[in-house]
Structure formats: structure tokens, C-alpha cells
Amino acid sequence: MTLKTTLEYRRAVREYLPTPIDPNVVKECLKLATLAPTSSNMQLYELYHITNKAILTRLAKACLSQKSATTADQMVVFVVRPDLHRVRAKSVFEFEKQNVATYSPANKVAGRIKKFDQYYNYLMPLIYSQKPFVPVARSTLACVVQKLRPMQADLSYDDMRVVMHKSCGLVAQTFMLAMAEQGLDTCPMEGFDGVYVKEILALPKEAEITMVVSCGLRSEHGVWGERYRVPFDVVYRSL
Ligand SMILES: Cc1cc2nc3c(=O)[nH]c(=O)nc-3n(C[C@H](O)[C@H](O)[C@H](O)COP(=O)(O)O)c2cc1C
């Protein structure tokens, strides 16, 4: 499939055939999904691939028993993990250190490593910290600096939640396109009870669910008619 045919093929599928799909293909699509970009390359997400029938039944109930969930052969839960920010920052830093050592001219190595060190070992922990008063202090400081020069000032706790969910949403979309390219179907769902989903997956309290994606092969009635999009001119602005 070309990208165009893949994009046209992908639809939100609300009912699947009882035919099983290969979990290894789904897993490969999830591997491809990790190529999606994330903010500061922090990759603050986890992918829960559910194939166990008993867990699927519980999860479908937590997805408000939507037919897309109750008929799915497998499901993937896209989870954000703000609590992993130090671990992720450290691993990105270690990797980038090697990149700099390999690809930078010798006279630039120390300076570039210092910048990565400041970014991942000091700035990221500060930006993602949820300790009491830190989010308020950093957004107040940002508001002051913003009066003097442009800066990325959306630094409250909820702003950082948006940052993580945005990145995780890109991972989910990349997954759905990879599945479509294999002729497999999906439906993104935010119609779920997050408390139940977190309990089923035994997630820590800091984790949040970006979306649940059901997977399978579309039934005859799986797609609800033609695809509706507002006219392109309504959303397109050329400056
Ligand atoms: C973040 C998000 C959450 C969604 N949640 C649900 C859902 O809970 N149940 C559902 O049936 N469809 C859900 N959808 C699917 C949309 O309704 C669907 O993508 C939209 O109607 C466009 O149809 P298409 O995907 O076939 O182009 C969701 C889509 C997105 C992006």
C-alpha cells in the first residue's frame, strides 16, 4: 500500500469478525509505532498489548462495553508514564553522549555533551517534576521571562500532561497506520473508565491512559458508512 491508500483504508472499526489475527504482526506494528516522534525524545509511554481472553473481557467492560471492544481480537492500551521521566532522560542522555562522541568534531565534543547534560539531567527533571509547588513555581517564572522574550511557557502540571498525551497520540496513530498497511483494523477509543483500565493493568497511580485501540478484522458492518470530514477550506489557512 502507498501512504495514501493506507490512510484511506484506515477507518474507526466498530465491529470485528471472530477471525483471529497474528499477535506477532500486531507486535511488529507496535515496534514501528515507536518510530513516532515524542517531545524531547522523552518517550514517556508504555504499550500494553492484550491478547489474553480473560483480560480482554475485563478491558472491554472498562471500555463501556463498546462493540469495538467486545468484538476485538486484541487490544492495545497506550499509557503515559510521567513517573519515568528521570529514567528516560538518563537513557536519552547516555545515547546522545555516544552520538556526539561519534559524529561531532573533536573540538566540539565537550561543549555538546555539556548541553545534553544540562538538558536531560537538569532541565527535563525540572520540567517534569510533580513535587509540590514545583509546577506552580516554574510556570510563574516562565510568565515573568515571557514578558521579556518568547519562551515555551506552558509548564504547569496539566500542560506537561498535554505534552505527554500528544506524543503518545502520535505513537497510537503510527500504530494504526502500520496496522492498516497490513490490512488489519483498529479503533481508537477514549470511551473508557480509566480507573478500571489502570486497575486491570496494575498501573501505578501516576500513569494515565491516552487511549485504548481495539484490533481485529472489520466485519461487514464494522465501518459506519462514508467517512465525514469538514470541507478542507474550513480547516486550511494559507498565510
Ligand atoms: C482520541 C480519539 C478517541 C476516540 N474514541 C472513540 C470511542 O471511544 N469510541 C468510538 O467508537 N470511536 C472513537 N473514536 C473514533 C472516532 O469517532 C473516528 O475516528 C471518527 O469518527 C472519524 O472516523 P474514521 O476514523 O473512520 O475516519 C475516537 C477517535 C479518537 C481520535
Side-chain angles (χ1 to χ4, degrees), residues 25-225:
V25 176
V26 177
K27 192 174 170 186
E28 281 307 310
C29 292
L30 285 169
K31 274 191 195 161
L32 288 174
T34 66
L35 297 178
T38 59
S39 180
S40 295
N41 203 15
M42 284 288 279
Q43 302 165 65
L44 288 169
Y45 64 82
E46 284 178 335
L47 312 167
Y48 289 78
H49 178 190
I50 318 297
T51 55
N52 176 294
K53 293 294 168 202
I55 302 176
L56 281 170
T57 303
R58 291 176 66 203
L59 195 54
K61 207 170 163 194
C63 292
L64 316 179
S65 298
Q66 300 185 53
K67 216 165 187 184
S68 186
T70 57
T71 61
D73 184 60
Q74 298 169 34
M75 287 204 256
V76 177
V77 186
F78 291 80
V79 176
V80 293
R81 291 289 305 269
D83 52 312
L84 295 181
H85 68 85
R86 281 182 186 278
V87 183
R88 293 286 197 271
K90 191 172 182 306
S91 76
V92 180
F93 172 66
E94 292 303 328
F95 188 91
E96 293 301 350
K97 219 164 58 172
Q98 290 307 314
N99 254 348
V100 170
T102 311
Y103 296 105
S104 296
N107 63 336
K108 303 261 184 198
V109 169
R112 286 183 183 169
I113 289 181
K114 192 173 169 206
K115 277 193 181 148
F116 274 112
D117 181 36
Q118 285 166 347
Y119 194 81
Y120 284 106
N121 294 329
Y122 295 93
L123 186 62
M124 287 299 112
L126 179 68
I127 281 184
Y128 282 99
S129 172
Q130 297 158 28
K131 284 187 189 140
F133 307 116
V134 177
V136 177
R138 68 180 179 232
S139 32
T140 310
L141 180 67
C143 283
V144 174
V145 177
Q146 200 179 30
K147 300 273 181 252
L148 307 171
R149 62 170 175 82
M151 80 163 289
Q152 194 184 337
D154 300 329
L155 294 171
S156 70
Y157 175 63
D158 281 337
D159 289 330
M160 297 321 292
R161 292 178 58 226
V162 172
V163 167
M164 287 180 287
H165 284 290
K166 260 194 275 190
S167 291
C168 194
L170 292 177
V171 178
Q173 170 67 352
T174 307
F175 168 67
M176 291 187 282
L177 292 179
M179 290 281 281
E181 198 203 20
Q182 296 295 321
L184 299 176
D185 291 305
T186 54
C187 182
M189 293 181 285
E190 59 189 356
F192 56 76
D193 186 322
V195 173
Y196 280 72
V197 176
K198 281 176 72 170
E199 192 184 303
I200 293 164
L201 303 181
L203 292 171
K205 68 175 185 342
E206 299 88 350
E208 293 186 15
I209 316 296
T210 299
M211 70 183 90
V212 180
V213 175
S214 59
C215 310
L217 289 172
R218 63 184 76 180
S219 77
E220 197 189 337
H221 308 291
V223 172
W224 289 345

